[in-house]
Amino acid sequence: MEFEVISPYCGLHKEGDTVKVFYLELEDLAREYIFGNAQDAQEFCNAAKNLDAFIINVPKGKEELYHLEFLDQIIKDKEYKLIVHEATPEDEQEAS
């Protein structure tokens, strides 16, 4: 699976009605958002890309948390399913 790097701390992968968000500094491997249709997924993807402009003055190391919080606010009124993929001990060992 290929993902688009949208900032130094975040990448995205969109396929149909699903968007996966990868944060480099969070413990989650990925956050997978499954929407009811491709249009909602595309709007979410566009919003995630455009948020980087608002993160400029955020303290170093907090960018992922702010980005995630902004995304949560943007989609609070949308219907979606969230799957958080977390690293298992085996994944963490392979990464090091």
Side-chain angles (χ1 to χ4, degrees):
M1 167 182 39
E2 292 184 28
F3 64 92
E4 176 184 358
V5 176
I6 62 168
S7 71
Y9 55 84
C10 184
L12 296 174
H13 174 78
K14 181 185 171 303
E15 190 172 315
D17 62 354
T18 302
V19 179
K20 289 184 182 176
V21 181
F22 303 88
Y23 291 106
L24 300 178
E25 298 297 324
L26 294 183
E27 292 180 11
D28 306 338
L29 289 178
R31 300 175 69 81
E32 184 173 1
Y33 296 85
I34 304 167
F35 295 91
N37 58 65
Q39 181 179 347
D40 284 349
Q42 186 62 55
E43 289 173 2
F44 175 79
C45 197
N46 293 343
K49 291 177 185 179
N50 293 332
L51 278 177
D52 197 44
F54 296 100
I55 307 293
I56 290 174
N57 294 322
V58 170
K60 211 60 163 158
K62 301 283 186 184
E63 297 95 347
E64 295 93 344
L65 296 174
Y66 278 74
H67 193 266
L68 182 57
E69 183 62 33
F70 282 136
L71 284 181
D72 287 346
Q73 291 301 312
I74 288 169
I75 61 172
K76 68 181 180 183
D77 295 329
K78 298 231 183 242
E79 291 287 324
Y80 67 94
K81 178 179 177 184
L82 173 62
I83 301 172
V84 178
H85 300 277
E86 296 179 347
T88 63
E90 295 83 23
D91 293 332
E92 291 174 356
Q93 289 175 357
E94 290 175 13
S96 56

